[in-house]
Amino acid sequence: MTPQHRTDTLVDHLFRQEAGKMVAVLTRVFGFRHVEIAEDLVQETMLSALSAWRLRGLPERPAAWLYRTARNKALDYVRRDKRFRHLSGELARVLEAETGVPEAADGLFEPEAIKDSQLRMMFACCHPIISQESQMVLILKTLCGLSVQEIATAFLSSKDSIEKRLYRTREKIREAQIALDAPALLLPRLDAVLNTLYLLFSEGYHSAHPDQLIRQDLCGEALRLALLLAEQPHTATPALHALLALMCFHSSRLDARLDDNQQVLLLEDQDRSRWNYPLIGLGLKYLQQSAQGELLTEYHLEAAIASYYCTAPAFEATDWPRILQLYDRLIQLKQNPVFELNRAVVLARVAGYEAALQSLDAIQGLEKHPRYHGARAEFLCRLGRQAEADAAFGQALALTVSRPERELLERRRAACGPAPS
């Protein structure tokens, strides 16, 4: 690896690690309605790092170099535009640093200050006037350091559409004068924050991208932000611990979901030696912590279901009856056709494929869901009804965008055998 390539790789890595932190801190300085200024300054900082490090080599503490450069660029911006002098207490400290007390501004990038800024940003992004998808886009852009193109790819959208969405969202933020208030004051918004992180993780775990079934970067960012919430006493609720448990259990199996040829492996075919057992242990710890109090959420039940999958010594030893009971409770708590679909798959292991097919056929609202038709095809195949199974496989394939999932359906269709002529 050449020195220049090593430098480029490090800058890219640091951008992933530090960009969201710097944007959060600078947004706290300039105000949430000027978040794009913070993003532009961070982008300029990264370009400066690329140029300077290629020329002079890597500094001893690259992250500290980035923070200092970002602070200096913010100060330069303030000198050019005095309207920011009265926006926040943090900015007053920066201006004080400008006149000879640099430690005051450096304090903005102390670990606890960075965490606090990220928490404030997370809650601000989940303001009720911002739509759910826009909340996710904002978090990916401001806190996770993803580019507009990467976000567009994740949501099967165009770069232009995401830019327009960001513009409209920022206009709403300016009009509503949304502030980066302390998280302790925003606990009623915690449910929205958890839901956004859950959706972000789900998009990574089962991506809508045609060529990438798994986006580990999205899963990792959702887990990182949830862990940040868990470090704060006022946000470390039982629901958060349950969500963390669920993320840990699912993350533990990411490396085993695809084979070396990037083909999808079903749970029964996965190599369990590739599962991350320390992560499973962490999930069990968070699941235990989630049991405090009387509140039972869907995260609790989904995490409990995932725990049975992850702790079974073998696929055949999975406690299907207990998982079925948990799905029954989950559906009682929250009516969701996807939960009913998952329940039918478990029912097949408990009561047989005929009962599972009847349960599946009673579900409404999944007519355009490829997994629904894939499950029907599998049940029909197991029941020896090849012609109906072949038709169901065809419906599933027609609705499936993901290339790895299409290949899985093609393999299952071939294994089922041809429809009788």
Side-chain angles (χ1 to χ4, degrees):
M1 182 184 294
T2 66
Q4 180 173 322
H5 186 257
R6 186 162 56 248
T7 297
D8 293 354
T9 301
L10 178 61
V11 171
D12 183 66
H13 171 74
L14 283 170
F15 188 85
R16 288 290 188 206
Q17 294 292 109
E18 309 297 339
K21 298 175 185 177
M22 290 192 291
V23 168
V25 169
L26 294 182
T27 301
R28 191 168 169 185
V29 168
F30 289 104
F32 193 36
R33 61 197 180 110
H34 298 294
V35 62
E36 69 276 10
I37 294 174
E39 291 173 338
D40 290 343
L41 290 173
V42 169
Q43 185 68 36
E44 288 179 23
T45 298
M46 291 300 174
L47 292 174
S48 295
L50 200 58
S51 175
W53 297 355
R54 281 177 175 175
L55 184 65
R56 305 186 190 96
L58 300 176
E60 186 176 343
R61 297 171 58 212
W65 189 100
L66 291 174
Y67 294 157
R68 186 167 56 252
T69 302
R71 184 203 67 180
N72 291 339
K73 288 185 179 294
L75 289 173
D76 289 341
Y77 198 96
V78 167
R79 292 189 190 104
R80 297 194 302 268
D81 194 333
K82 298 300 183 182
R83 63 186 163 143
F84 295 110
R85 186 176 295 275
H86 306 294
L87 280 181
S88 70
E90 282 77 17
L91 184 55
R93 292 167 59 196
V94 170
L95 291 171
E96 186 179 6
E98 185 182 357
T99 59
V101 192
E103 293 79 7
D106 287 339
L108 289 172
F109 288 103
E110 290 297 321
E112 289 307 313
I114 291 173
K115 289 178 183 178
D116 188 59
S117 297
Q118 289 180 291
L119 288 167
R120 290 171 185 246
M121 178 75 84
M122 209 184 312
F123 278 87
C125 287
C126 293
H127 192 282
I129 71 164
I130 301 172
S131 70
Q132 196 169 76
E133 185 167 344
S134 294
Q135 290 174 359
M136 293 176 65
V137 168
L138 268 181
I139 284 180
L140 288 172
K141 184 73 172 69
T142 60
L143 283 169
C144 303
L146 268 68
S147 68
V148 171
Q149 184 58 62
E150 288 174 313
I151 297 169
T153 299
F155 286 99
L156 290 181
S157 185
S158 67
K159 183 179 178 181
D160 185 58
S161 295
I162 295 298
E163 285 176 341
K164 288 179 180 177
R165 178 178 288 276
L166 283 167
Y167 176 79
R168 290 193 297 268
T169 303
R170 286 166 178 161
E171 285 297 300
K172 280 187 177 181
I173 291 167
R174 277 190 279 271
E175 290 169 5
Q177 298 184 3
I178 299 173
L180 296 180
D181 293 322
L185 303 175
L186 300 173
L187 285 182
R189 209 178 292 172
L190 182 60
D191 285 346
V193 172
L194 297 187
N195 187 53
T196 300
L197 295 183
Y198 178 53
L199 292 173
L200 176 58
F201 184 90
S202 298
E203 171 56 32
Y205 187 80
H206 201 113
S207 174
H209 189 275
D211 295 316
Q212 286 182 280
L213 180 66
I214 300 170
R215 293 285 307 272
Q216 292 208 29
D217 54 342
L218 301 187
C219 292
E221 286 299 328
L223 185 54
R224 179 181 70 82
L225 294 173
L227 286 168
L228 188 62
L229 289 171
E231 294 176 6
Q232 313 303 314
H234 48 274
T235 54
T237 63
L240 171 65
H241 286 138
L243 178 58
L244 268 170
L246 179 60
M247 289 181 177
C248 288
F249 291 139
H250 285 330
S251 296
S252 72
R253 297 188 285 113
L254 286 176
D255 289 340
R257 290 182 62 211
L258 300 174
D259 66 14
D260 293 337
N261 297 316
Q262 298 302 296
Q263 291 189 329
V264 181
L265 294 174
L266 299 175
L267 182 63
E268 58 200 271
D269 300 320
Q270 291 176 13
D271 179 358
R272 296 185 178 223
S273 69
R274 296 181 63 186
W275 287 8
N276 187 326
Y277 287 96
L279 205 49
I280 293 173
L282 187 61
L284 291 170
K285 184 192 84 169
Y286 282 122
L287 186 59
Q288 185 176 23
Q289 290 178 348
S290 76
Q292 299 174 6
E294 302 297 324
L295 182 67
L296 180 69
T297 68
E298 62 184 281
Y299 304 131
H300 285 85
L301 293 168
E302 287 192 76
I305 290 168
S307 74
Y308 279 95
Y309 285 124
C310 286
T311 56
F315 180 79
E316 297 75 17
T318 305
D319 192 345
W320 300 109
R322 179 58 181 148
I323 293 175
L324 184 63
Q325 291 175 352
L326 289 168
Y327 267 118
D328 287 338
R329 292 189 68 185
L330 180 58
I331 292 167
Q332 286 176 357
L333 184 68
K334 182 177 180 179
Q335 286 292 326
N336 184 314
V338 175
F339 292 159
E340 295 179 43
L341 166 60
N342 294 338
R343 179 190 179 277
V345 173
V346 175
L347 183 63
R349 300 286 173 181
V350 176
Y353 292 102
E354 187 64 53
L357 182 62
Q358 291 178 14
S359 176
L360 204 60
D361 287 341
I363 300 173
Q364 296 182 348
L366 295 181
E367 294 78 14
K368 295 185 178 181
H369 198 297
R371 280 191 57 227
Y372 170 79
H373 294 287
R376 284 196 80 254
E378 196 69 40
F379 296 166
L380 289 164
C381 178
R382 300 277 185 162
L383 292 168
R385 295 158 62 175
Q386 264 79 13
E388 294 171 86
D390 190 70
F393 274 121
Q395 287 177 288
L397 282 164
L399 294 167
T400 300
V401 174
S402 165
R403 178 186 55 77
E405 289 197 306
R406 287 182 62 83
E407 291 173 352
L408 174 63
L409 285 167
E410 295 280 13
R411 295 198 304 273
R412 304 300 291 182
R413 189 182 203 178
C416 183
S421 55

